[in-house]
Amino acid sequence: MIPDSDIHAVIHLSSTAVYTVVGYFDVHHKKIQIMGLGLAKTDAFFGGQIVNREHLLSAIHKSLREAIDMAGVQVSYVGLSFASPAMMGENGIQDKIITGQNPTGDTLGRKINHDDVRDILNDAKVGLAQKGHKDVQLCQQRFWLDDDQSGKDVVGMLAHKLTVGYHLISVPSMFYAQIKDLMVSNNLEVHPMFFDGITSSEYALSSDEKQRGVCFIDIGAALTKVCLYQEGMLLYTRCLPVGGQLVDMDIASTLGLTLLEAESLKKHHGSANASKQSKSDFITLKKRHHDSELTVHLYKLASIIEARYLALLHEIFDELTAKGLDQFMDMGVVLAGGGADMRDLPSLIERQFGVGVRQMDINPKVAVHTELLSDDDIGLLKTHLSDPKLHSIIGALMYYQSEQYARDERGQFGDLDRVGFFGRVGQKCQSWFDKLRQLL
């Protein structure tokens, strides 16, 4: 029997659907076991904005009900994963003087405890209110003791001053309140909230990639999420209001097609790298709602697609370069999302930016918990898990039970009761600290 405290539910809001997954971490097999999954198609949260509150409420309820009915459990609190261009990600450093006294009354340092870490991280959030923002997620990076380099865990160590580097993600306070209200209206308490880019990274990236330096780019229907890691630490996040649907709109407006025709043409004949497309190739396209045909020059089609992807990629890489973060990409780029499933996109990135690229693979650390499930539900879950489109929601459950999340929660809320996290990630890199102090 699995203890209820080990079972978690996570809801993911995307531009095309609401997903809910219920599962737990199997310590023995080192895998996430999926017990239930719910899916409600909707565009009520399109582009990271609440477009239709009532429709979104209904989709959340339907998705959650499907998942918990399949899993045979009840939940009153959930994790929530989402992304929005309104999100702001920033690196920071915060200090705290550690005081104690000896019998003569002299001020001394002392052993650091969880309260010290919690206080310093909470202090990091204080300035958000003045900006009209509320924190969604805070990820610890590194600690310094008395200005000397340290590691990722300093509780119990002696120091006069504690310094922490962190990455803080926030949204406007009113937007945060609206998201919370959606959950409350479904009789749910939300904890924690996650940035979709981080949870997707948990599914898509290996620990070696995060250690050596990698840029994760997740291109969805209406949004693109970006995360940069080095030495196992999150250094950069961004959510851009650009996705695969903009490519469809460019094709439709240029060639005089409907969005459905443009999307079909892109999927079956498109290329993101015009240099890979012969200039002598044409196809005849039968239009859906007219008794007419259209001759399409495939090189022109590839040029339209390439232009939109290059505009997006330049916005990403130009900012990384401006921030001095392009030096932390030894493992190149990992692509995910339906919008990244575009023929010749990796070769375009390699040609234009000179970095290696790979497409996300199905994560082998995810399995179906077959106990108490019907054969139909087992078959349905296995089909879902073979679909890379579910990387965001599965990644949210994986991150919920990850080492990074455990460390961040200990820092902000004290010791956790649950155990069974993924193996520790991290090795010291002497040059890293100097680079981080310069950046922050």
Side-chain angles (χ1 to χ4, degrees):
M1 180 66 70
I2 308 158
D4 290 344
S5 60
D6 290 346
I7 299 173
H8 298 283
V10 182
I11 293 174
H12 172 61
L13 308 180
S14 80
S15 293
T16 57
V18 174
Y19 302 90
T20 302
V21 67
V22 178
Y24 67 98
F25 181 64
D26 183 343
V27 179
H28 180 67
H29 295 98
K30 299 291 188 287
K31 286 189 175 185
I32 286 289
Q33 297 282 348
I34 305 300
M35 304 171 67
L37 189 144
L39 186 160
K41 292 185 177 180
T42 181
D43 58 0
F45 192 70
F46 194 82
Q49 300 294 329
I50 301 173
V51 178
N52 188 312
R53 181 179 180 276
E54 293 306 312
H55 287 183
L56 187 53
L57 277 173
S58 177
I60 291 170
H61 179 79
K62 177 180 182 294
S63 172
L64 180 66
R65 177 53 54 189
E66 285 182 1
I68 63 178
D69 284 351
M70 183 182 295
V73 299
Q74 289 296 325
V75 298
S76 58
Y77 70 94
V78 295
L80 179 65
S81 165
F82 68 100
S84 171
M87 283 179 164
M88 177 176 70
E90 56 186 335
N91 292 323
I93 281 184
Q94 193 78 18
D95 294 323
K96 180 182 179 180
I97 302 300
I98 307 299
T99 58
Q101 289 189 334
N102 67 12
T104 65
D106 297 328
T107 299
L108 297 173
R110 57 169 169 78
K111 287 185 178 181
I112 294 167
N113 56 45
H114 285 297
D115 288 342
D116 296 319
V117 179
R118 184 187 66 240
D119 291 346
I120 198 171
L121 293 177
N122 286 339
D123 286 346
K125 303 173 186 177
V126 170
L128 288 176
Q130 298 173 346
K131 302 175 184 177
H133 271 236
K134 182 75 173 68
D135 59 287
V136 171
Q137 189 171 1
L138 187 149
C139 295
Q140 298 174 33
Q141 293 169 327
R142 286 287 191 186
F143 291 97
W144 289 263
L145 300 179
D146 300 329
D147 294 324
D148 290 329
Q149 299 96 332
S150 186
K152 295 182 180 180
D153 191 356
V154 293
V155 172
M157 299 178 70
L158 290 167
H160 291 85
K161 184 174 78 168
L162 172 64
T163 303
V164 61
Y166 60 85
H167 188 83
L168 180 60
I169 300 171
S170 63
V171 294
S173 299
M174 185 55 69
F175 183 82
Y176 182 92
Q178 291 170 348
I179 293 292
K180 290 278 283 190
D181 179 64
L182 285 170
M183 300 298 114
V184 172
S185 297
N186 268 298
N187 298 314
L188 294 169
E189 182 179 344
V190 178
H191 182 77
M193 284 190 183
F194 297 125
F195 169 47
D196 173 22
I198 295 175
T199 58
S200 297
S201 299
E202 188 70 24
Y203 182 97
L205 301 179
S206 69
S207 59
D208 185 54
E209 286 170 328
K210 287 184 178 182
Q211 282 293 321
R212 295 175 60 185
V214 65
C215 182
F216 175 69
I217 302 176
D218 186 343
I219 308 175
L223 298 174
T224 295
K225 288 82 67 177
V226 185
C227 292
L228 183 74
Y229 293 87
Q230 211 270 349
E231 278 297 306
M233 288 171 284
L234 180 66
L235 299 184
Y236 172 89
T237 58
R238 190 175 177 191
C239 179
L240 296 93
V242 180
Q245 193 174 89
L246 270 183
V247 181
D248 301 339
M249 294 172 66
D250 289 347
I251 296 171
S253 62
T254 303
L255 301 182
L257 301 173
T258 66
L259 281 176
L260 285 176
E261 289 170 337
E263 182 183 22
S264 177
L265 182 63
K266 177 188 73 175
K267 286 182 176 180
H268 293 97
H269 302 285
S271 168
N273 191 345
S275 66
K276 295 275 188 178
Q277 179 63 58
S278 170
K279 294 184 179 181
S280 61
D281 289 344
F282 294 82
I283 64 163
T284 300
L285 179 67
K286 191 167 289 189
K287 303 194 74 175
R288 290 175 181 266
H289 301 297
H290 304 277
D291 258 345
S292 61
E293 295 180 335
L294 176 69
T295 299
V296 178
H297 186 198
L298 293 185
Y299 180 80
K300 180 179 181 180
L301 173 64
S303 298
I304 297 168
I305 296 171
E306 180 184 291
R308 174 57 68 183
Y309 277 104
L310 278 180
L312 168 63
L313 292 165
H314 272 296
E315 186 165 358
I316 294 169
F317 281 93
D318 288 353
E319 182 170 41
L320 291 175
T321 300
K323 290 180 177 292
L325 295 171
D326 55 322
Q327 61 185 303
F328 300 129
M329 293 171 54
D330 287 353
M331 297 296 285
V333 169
V334 174
L335 293 174
D341 190 21
M342 186 73 239
R343 184 164 63 94
D344 298 325
L345 180 58
S347 65
L348 173 68
I349 297 173
E350 290 168 352
R351 184 196 82 195
Q352 193 71 28
F353 302 99
V355 296
V357 182
R358 77 166 178 88
Q359 293 277 6
M360 180 194 73
D361 298 320
I362 298 295
N363 194 306
K365 295 180 180 178
V366 184
V368 175
H369 177 75
T370 56
E371 188 177 333
L372 302 179
L373 291 179
S374 68
D375 289 343
D376 288 344
D377 284 343
I378 292 172
L380 180 62
L381 282 178
K382 287 183 176 179
T383 299
H384 279 312
L385 295 185
S386 66
D387 184 353
K389 293 178 183 177
L390 292 184
H391 68 285
S392 292
I393 182 60
I394 302 300
L397 186 61
M398 295 176 71
Y399 190 83
Y400 200 168
Q401 305 186 69
S402 70
E403 167 70 17
Q404 178 68 50
Y405 175 68
R407 186 165 56 245
D408 293 338
E409 287 290 280
R410 283 197 301 270
Q412 296 174 71
F413 302 103
D415 286 315
L416 299 178
D417 292 331
R418 62 187 177 87
V419 294
F421 305 114
F422 288 110
R424 293 183 175 275
V425 178
Q427 63 181 40
K428 292 186 177 180
C429 175
Q430 192 66 29
S431 63
W432 158 248
F433 300 101
D434 295 333
K435 295 176 182 176
L436 181 61
R437 295 301 290 266
Q438 291 170 6
L439 287 170
L440 301 181

